[in-house]
Amino acid sequence: MRTDTGQVFKLEDYRPNDYLIPQTNLTFRLSPDATHVTALLTVERRDGVSVSAPLVLDGDGLTLKRIEIDGKKVKPADMLASPDQLTILKPPAARRFQLLIETELAPAGNEALMGLYRSSHVYCTQCEAEGFRRITYFLDRPDILSVYTVRIEAMRDEAPLLLSNGNPVDKGDLGDGWHYASWHDPFPKPSYLFALVAGNLGQLADSFVTLSGRTVELGIYVEPGKEKLAGYAMDALKRSMKWDEEAFGREYDLDVFNIVAVSDFNMGAMENKGLNIFNDKYVLADQETATDADFANIEAIIAHEYFHNWTGNRITCRDWFQLCLKEGLTVFRDHEFSADQRSRAVKRIAEVRTLRAHQFPEDQGPLAHPVRPRRYREINNFYTATVYEKGSEVVRMIRTILGVDVFRAGMDLYFERHDGDAATIEDFIKVFEDASGRDLSQFALWYHQAGTPNLTISSTHNPAAREFTLEIEQSVPPTPSESRKRLMHIPLAFGLIGAGGKPVDYSGVEGASVEDGVIHVRKRRHMVRFSGVTERPAVSLNRGFSAPVTLSVEQKADDQFFLARHDSDAFSRWQAFNTLLTDALISAFREILGGKQPAFAPRLIELAGGIAGDETLEPAYRALALALPGEADIARDIGRNIDPDAIYAAREALALAIGTANRDAFSGLYERLADREAFSPDAASAGRRALRNTLLDYLSLQPGGAALAAGHFQSATNMTDRAAALAVLAHRHDGSPEAIKALAAFETAYGSDPLVMDKWFQIQASVPGPQTVDTVKALTSHPAFSMGNPNRVRSLIGTFSSANQTSFHRADGEGYWFFAQTVLEVEKRNPQVAARLATALRSWRSLEPLRQAKAREALLSIAGAENLSADLRDIVERTLA
Ligand SMILES: [Zn+2]
């Protein structure tokens, strides 16, 4: 484990290295406890660099066995070697030389899951961001692009399959039970994209013919016997390849494309050139084991990693400060793909819910940072919702500002100009400036400035002057180390809506530049005057969520109800109803704190019933609309002095009120939505299941609810319905005979399937109420649980800490103490996963004072532990700062 050196890396300190490594030849002789890696590097001194410049290579816990330059042993006096660095003090005078380094590794003991490790006896690698330096000494930074040739030697019994990046070139027998395979990747790439897989795996094979007629062999490798569970992933891969040709003109470039699923993986998946490595959760699926959400995630992540081949691999990042260059852009691309494959409106609402749940709290708390950070202590901690999700929103805004055609021209220019480069955000913005002729310097602040901007908006109508005015004021709240903010360019899509939902015409507009339904907010304050407006319109704001901002709008409840019924923009219509629900929940929260029984407006309850039964709306949309705002979302909107128990009570009261008033209608609809045809994971079928399961949740609070959910559980023919019913039983009827029986039945049926058991852990970890702390503690000893496997840890501990507001924030602080101990236990094996878990306490300052004090104590207890890893110390110290 790398302990913290306290070093801070700064963007302004970037400079190219004195040396390049144009070619890298690697030979692996694999063995669980003593793998030998021989790296033969062609090293080249950059033009103009002094011959006396030392060559300093990165390492991380390495054991050096041999080192030679141009075939001669390097004398100890001519180098400095430690596990974490190798310095050649006097490199040869020649501009180019060959450096040979042999290291010895123990993949079986590598529990951090970075570098070369073993997962269920399969050798695999994870090198992003800085894992390659755990394999050999190297210039382990993304601007060092090298052509890799890799030879893998292994015992044939142990590893019949030997894979690396690029195309296969050679294979053969070595005698004594050993064999080898060689791979060559003609595209220069940074070390973080290196990959190796060796083991005994089953294959699902297919092929794809590209736009220009080349055939690409496709392979998905999984645990033997699970090949048939990879069918959906393969289908998603082929659709992704086709879509990228059509939407972005991007064709695949190698002869083979392989995906390997492994069960121990820190992240979702990794885009290594030609050899993607996946968390098996995002590959394996069938109706019996995967939910509709799992299918949608597989489709999105397969696409995401594939799209990286152009946005990330062919054009990579100059340094890790530019991470959003590949991630934000690629998330934008996978969102567009999913929108085209599914329902655009539903996809957009789901994206915004995710952004608000994950990125907004980050932006509003102690871990806030710009989409392109300027400094970091541990880069692993910057794989954040800000870099990914907000990064994607920024790309979306560029498209909104420039229009679809100019945006595409800019992307074409980006691929043409920077193919083969390690690029920067400045390069990316420049292509759009060049393609459009516009100055995007104010817009670029979205990359440089942290915090979620707020727009305060009010409106007035002057019937005599036939003038409608919007007063818009922007502000960006201060964030750590950025107290003063500059004014941003915010594209605010809007609509003026008159009686019956018709758009209201206006004859002119002044006070801001307004084009194609978008107000360009650039100044602190705009008075936007629309002339020729006879009737007072309702205003639909931030349509399609055109900018990732918060709105403070003075709007009459009548207008919100009107928009929730009539807005022609599906996102804004959803937003209007969601705002009404949130306002009602916040009022109920205050009533509960004041000792009163909350009451809800009958017209809100009626509207919920109306949306549920509105056959003109897609079922998936109705399901999203009826899903009440989450407890954490409500907490964020309240802002401070949070009492999670009162929020929970408010939410339950609203669910009960909606379900009671609409019981008969919901029951009838629930019956009509029952699946009568064979299972299909398509979006329309998934939408019907989602709506039916949402209705089940409401009906479960009504008399006979437990029996209804138990029947739903027993008659389920797919995992979506089964898991939904189990969650309803466990959450709404905790401790009931029906819940106990269903949990036991689920465990019996799926006890040997770890990915399905993750759902069982998740459902129990999210049961509301103080008792769940003890349940979760007990489940850490369950035979299917393991502190060493990231998926298990995330399902049980991650769900408990990030998705169980009442239990995690238990008033006596027991949830925090258990959490602090567990984070430290996970850290001993896997600092990266521990650091990610620890972010669950980032919003601790918004809690009411007693919980706040207890959360702080727990954070201090983590901070005070000995030998903290760089990963965990960085998160905890920033959270406490
Ligand atoms: Zn990515």
Side-chain angles (χ1 to χ4, degrees):
M1 183 171 93
R2 204 149 36 112
T3 47
D4 190 21
T5 56
Q7 188 179 358
V8 176
F9 298 88
K10 297 178 184 160
L11 173 61
E12 66 261 31
D13 292 344
Y14 173 84
R15 66 175 199 96
N17 198 273
D18 290 341
Y19 292 89
L20 298 165
I21 306 178
Q23 293 201 38
T24 299
N25 280 58
L26 298 170
T27 301
F28 287 80
R29 194 162 171 90
L30 294 172
S31 131
D33 301 311
T35 287
H36 281 246
V37 183
T38 308
L40 183 63
L41 311 176
T42 302
V43 182
E44 195 177 288
R45 187 180 293 107
R46 243 182 234 277
D47 286 338
V49 170
S50 152
V51 242
S52 62
L55 170 65
V56 185
L57 301 176
D58 306 298
D60 182 359
L62 289 172
T63 305
L64 179 64
K65 301 301 268 189
R66 183 159 66 116
I67 175 160
E68 294 172 7
I69 291 179
D70 292 332
K72 291 195 201 86
K73 228 177 125 182
V74 180
K75 293 191 207 96
D78 293 340
M79 63 175 188
L80 291 171
S82 78
D84 297 343
Q85 202 168 63
L86 175 65
T87 305
I88 308 293
L89 297 166
K90 282 184 218 131
R95 200 169 144 254
R96 256 183 190 234
F97 56 94
Q98 301 286 316
L99 174 62
L100 181 145
I101 300 167
E102 187 182 329
T103 50
E104 187 183 293
L105 321 172
N110 179 355
E111 289 189 295
L113 314 184
M114 287 292 283
L116 178 68
Y117 66 97
R118 299 245 290 174
S119 173
S120 305
H121 304 291
V122 175
Y123 293 91
C124 61
T125 53
Q126 170 58 34
C127 292
E128 187 177 358
E130 296 176 338
F132 193 71
R133 61 184 67 181
R134 292 164 64 91
I135 294 172
T136 189
Y137 294 100
F138 202 75
L139 294 174
D140 190 16
R141 42 188 282 169
D143 61 347
I144 297 294
L145 305 181
S146 192
V147 171
Y148 284 68
T149 305
V150 179
R151 177 182 161 106
I152 312 166
E153 301 177 359
M155 298 284 289
R156 193 186 288 275
D157 281 358
E158 190 187 43
L161 176 77
L162 306 172
L163 302 174
S164 190
N165 313 94
N167 295 319
V169 286
D170 191 17
K171 62 180 174 182
D173 199 74
L174 293 167
D176 290 337
W178 285 74
H179 72 141
Y180 77 96
S182 298
W183 292 78
H184 177 73
D185 181 0
F187 296 96
K189 66 170 175 284
S191 49
Y192 80 86
L193 290 172
F194 166 79
L196 172 155
V197 171
N200 181 17
L201 291 162
Q203 183 199 22
L204 178 69
D206 208 327
S207 64
F208 179 83
V209 179
T210 69
L211 193 62
S212 67
R214 280 187 320 106
T215 300
V216 181
E217 299 301 331
L218 309 176
I220 298 186
Y221 295 88
V222 298
E223 211 175 284
K226 293 191 173 169
E227 295 84 349
K228 63 179 193 310
L229 296 177
Y232 187 77
M234 181 62 88
D235 179 56
L237 173 62
K238 287 159 65 180
R239 284 186 281 126
S240 306
M241 295 177 86
K242 182 118 185 77
W243 185 89
D244 211 16
E245 292 180 342
E246 288 166 357
F248 282 94
R250 296 299 106 197
E251 192 174 333
Y252 186 65
D253 47 13
L254 291 165
D255 303 337
V256 299
F257 186 79
N258 289 320
I259 291 174
V260 178
V262 299
S263 50
D264 300 272
F265 205 71
N266 281 346
M267 307 185 250
M270 178 64 211
E271 71 263 24
N272 317 298
K273 180 80 184 185
L275 177 57
N276 291 0
I277 299 182
F278 268 63
N279 187 326
D280 58 1
K281 175 180 164 65
Y282 297 120
V283 171
L284 304 174
D286 67 2
Q287 73 183 81
E288 179 62 27
T289 56
T291 62
D292 290 324
D294 294 328
F295 280 105
N297 278 332
I298 289 170
E299 181 181 80
I301 296 173
I302 290 273
H304 178 95
E305 306 308 331
Y306 173 73
F307 297 156
H308 267 314
N309 191 54
W310 276 94
T311 49
N313 300 4
R314 288 283 288 255
I315 306 177
T316 193
C317 303
R318 187 193 72 176
D319 51 66
W320 291 121
F321 297 100
Q322 321 295 330
L323 183 57
C324 62
L325 179 70
K326 75 178 181 79
E327 294 305 343
L329 176 55
T330 306
V331 169
F332 171 75
R333 275 151 54 69
D334 84 57
H335 282 176
E336 283 300 296
F337 168 74
S338 294
D340 282 347
Q341 304 287 310
R342 291 164 179 261
S343 154
R344 191 160 275 273
V346 167
K347 173 70 183 143
R348 188 63 187 142
I349 294 165
E351 281 161 22
V352 174
R353 284 183 79 126
T354 303
L355 183 85
R356 286 187 178 140
H358 301 285
Q359 200 277 326
F360 276 24
E362 191 165 271
D363 234 354
Q364 292 163 14
L367 302 181
H369 59 85
V371 172
R372 185 179 70 182
R374 277 182 299 279
R375 54 206 57 216
Y376 62 77
R377 266 164 76 179
E378 178 48 66
I379 186 59
N380 289 338
N381 290 336
F382 281 83
Y383 287 74
T384 60
T386 297
V387 167
Y388 280 67
E389 311 300 332
K390 189 175 179 183
S392 163
E393 293 299 323
V394 177
V395 177
R396 178 177 298 276
M397 285 188 284
I398 296 176
R399 189 182 62 175
T400 302
I401 291 170
L402 301 186
V404 174
D405 295 337
V406 179
F407 175 77
R408 172 66 197 267
M411 285 301 300
D412 288 348
L413 183 59
Y414 178 64
F415 292 124
E416 184 192 313
R417 188 182 284 175
H418 294 291
D419 185 13
D421 283 357
T424 62
I425 283 301
E426 282 73 14
D427 295 330
F428 185 65
I429 294 169
K430 185 78 169 56
V431 296
F432 294 107
E433 291 189 321
D434 291 352
S436 67
R438 294 207 200 192
D439 174 2
L440 293 175
S441 51
Q442 188 186 9
F443 178 81
L445 285 174
W446 281 102
Y447 282 108
H448 308 318
Q449 199 162 264
T452 306
N454 179 263
L455 294 176
T456 303
I457 303 176
S458 60
S459 63
T460 45
H461 182 236
N462 180 342
R466 302 201 310 152
E467 190 176 80
F468 181 71
T469 306
L470 280 178
E471 186 176 351
I472 305 173
E473 187 172 339
Q474 70 158 297
S475 62
V476 187
T479 50
S481 76
E482 275 181 17
S483 52
R484 295 190 57 199
K485 304 283 186 177
R486 288 189 280 162
L487 294 171
M488 309 194 55
H489 176 188
I490 300 170
L492 183 71
F494 76 105
L496 304 183
I497 308 173
K502 295 253 166 30
V504 167
D505 284 335
Y506 51 86
S507 51
V509 58
E510 54 183 62
S513 130
V514 177
E515 11 169 79
D516 300 329
V518 176
I519 300 170
H520 292 270
V521 178
R522 292 166 170 275
K523 298 192 290 183
R524 178 159 320 278
R525 195 173 287 112
H526 290 266
M527 295 287 278
V528 189
R529 291 193 173 82
F530 298 90
S531 48
V533 180
T534 44
E535 58 167 331
R536 193 189 75 87
V539 205
S540 166
L541 289 164
N542 209 16
R543 284 188 148 180
F545 203 66
S546 61
V549 298
T550 53
L551 298 180
S552 308
V553 187
E554 233 180 74
Q555 197 153 34
K556 295 189 183 77
D558 284 354
D559 279 353
Q560 289 289 5
F561 274 97
F562 178 79
L563 292 171
R565 287 195 181 93
H566 297 294
D567 201 324
S568 60
D569 181 90
F571 171 82
S572 293
R573 186 172 172 185
W574 169 83
Q575 180 64 68
F577 182 56
N578 198 260
T579 303
L580 287 168
L581 292 173
T582 303
D583 292 348
L585 287 162
I586 293 175
S587 303
F589 166 79
R590 303 211 190 287
E591 283 163 359
I592 287 165
L593 284 184
K596 280 189 265 172
Q597 192 66 17
F600 300 98
R603 64 174 175 168
L604 177 66
I605 306 296
E606 242 169 70
L607 180 57
I611 289 172
D614 187 342
E615 299 290 340
T616 65
L617 298 168
E618 295 171 84
Y621 176 93
R622 288 185 263 162
L624 275 174
L626 291 172
L628 296 181
E631 290 156 62
D633 296 311
I634 303 163
R636 202 182 52 251
D637 282 332
I638 294 170
R640 59 202 179 87
N641 243 332
I642 298 305
D643 175 346
D645 293 334
I647 292 178
Y648 174 73
R651 201 169 175 275
E652 288 298 284
L654 180 55
L656 183 65
I658 291 176
T660 305
N662 296 290
R663 184 165 59 208
D664 293 344
F666 282 10
S667 283
L669 187 55
Y670 172 83
E671 289 307 325
R672 289 200 297 285
L673 283 165
D675 251 342
R676 310 213 191 279
E677 285 154 35
F679 178 88
S680 160
D682 70 90
S685 312
R688 282 193 298 276
R689 282 187 287 272
L691 179 55
R692 187 163 186 260
N693 288 327
T694 303
L695 295 171
L696 173 68
D697 194 31
Y698 281 105
L699 292 168
S700 72
L701 291 171
Q702 299 300 315
L708 181 74
H712 193 105
F713 179 80
Q714 279 150 19
S715 62
T717 56
N718 56 72
M719 183 51 72
T720 304
D721 290 340
R722 193 169 292 123
L726 186 65
V728 164
L729 284 168
H731 294 177
R732 304 289 197 202
H733 300 280
D734 184 30
S736 69
E738 289 90 345
I740 293 167
K741 199 175 151 200
L743 282 166
F746 196 96
E747 186 187 10
T748 307
Y750 303 106
S752 60
D753 188 330
L755 290 178
V756 182
M757 284 301 280
D758 283 345
K759 301 181 196 309
W760 190 77
F761 287 126
Q762 256 167 12
I763 286 168
Q764 293 182 82
S766 48
V767 172
Q771 73 290 0
T772 301
V773 179
D774 296 323
T775 313
V776 173
K777 276 185 198 168
L779 284 172
T780 57
S781 318
H782 191 279
F785 183 78
S786 155
M787 282 288 181
N789 180 285
N791 286 353
R792 301 302 92 74
V793 170
R794 284 187 283 254
S795 304
L796 187 63
I797 313 299
T799 301
F800 169 72
S801 56
S802 64
N804 191 335
Q805 300 296 307
T806 47
S807 199
F808 178 56
H809 298 290
R810 205 167 100 168
D812 64 1
E814 194 52 35
Y816 304 143
W817 281 113
F818 164 68
F819 176 72
Q821 285 162 10
T822 311
V823 165
L824 289 170
E825 197 180 332
V826 172
E827 193 219 19
K828 283 184 219 139
R829 302 159 184 264
N830 194 325
Q832 212 180 104
V833 169
R836 183 59 63 96
L837 274 183
T839 62
L841 271 173
R842 65 188 167 196
S843 302
W844 67 279
R845 280 201 175 86
S846 63
L847 294 161
E848 51 83 19
L850 292 175
R851 283 180 172 87
Q852 209 179 113
K854 294 198 187 303
R856 184 166 178 274
E857 278 174 45
L859 279 164
L860 286 170
S861 81
I862 299 177
E866 281 181 5
N867 297 322
L868 272 200
S869 61
D871 304 62
L872 188 53
R873 179 164 303 284
D874 173 45
I875 292 291
V876 173
E877 288 187 353
R878 280 195 284 145
T879 304
L880 280 165

